[in-house]
Amino acid sequence: MNIPLEHILLLSAVLFSIGILAVISKRHAVVVLMGIELIFNAANLNLVAFSRHDPQLLQGQMFSLFVILVAAAEAAVALAIVLRVYQYFKTANLSEVVTKEQ
């Protein structure tokens, strides 16, 4: 079964929009991190879709693998930072952290 490129790009745009909405509207640090991961996954989906569109070149798949590795490292570091901020401020709500710091 061959899925058209337009359908994959539409799914990627929906994932990207949901990720942006989560980053902009939510105040909990873990939800913001999940939104960032959705944005990374939308970009990966685009890269793999365009790579599949031109099967001679594997550059999109290789770059997608690199993005997955960077996202995993980013998630580990970001969760460590969130845990440290929670220990210090006793909250994971980003708006409360900003107001307590001032």
Side-chain angles (χ1 to χ4, degrees):
M1 185 166 117
N2 197 6
I3 301 172
L5 182 64
E6 293 83 16
H7 292 176
I8 297 172
L9 294 179
L10 181 66
L11 175 64
S12 177
V14 169
L15 281 175
F16 187 81
S17 300
I18 293 170
I20 289 291
L21 183 67
V23 169
I24 291 173
S25 67
K26 299 300 179 184
R27 296 291 172 230
H28 198 277
V30 176
V31 177
V32 170
L33 291 175
M34 288 182 355
I36 293 171
E37 292 297 324
L38 278 175
I39 293 169
F40 279 146
N41 286 331
N44 283 337
L45 192 57
N46 272 340
L47 290 169
V48 171
F50 283 120
S51 179
R52 198 185 102 201
H53 188 66
D54 187 10
Q56 302 272 330
L57 301 173
L58 293 177
Q59 294 167 344
Q61 292 175 0
M62 292 299 158
F63 191 66
S64 180
L65 230 109
F66 179 71
V67 170
I68 289 171
L69 291 174
V70 169
E74 172 263 337
V77 170
L79 284 175
I81 291 170
V82 167
L83 287 174
R84 194 73 173 142
V85 166
Y86 182 78
Q87 277 183 337
Y88 185 76
F89 290 106
K90 301 295 185 224
T91 185
N93 193 345
L94 295 177
S95 59
E96 291 178 19
V97 169
V98 172
T99 57
K100 285 184 180 179
E101 189 174 317
Q102 295 174 353

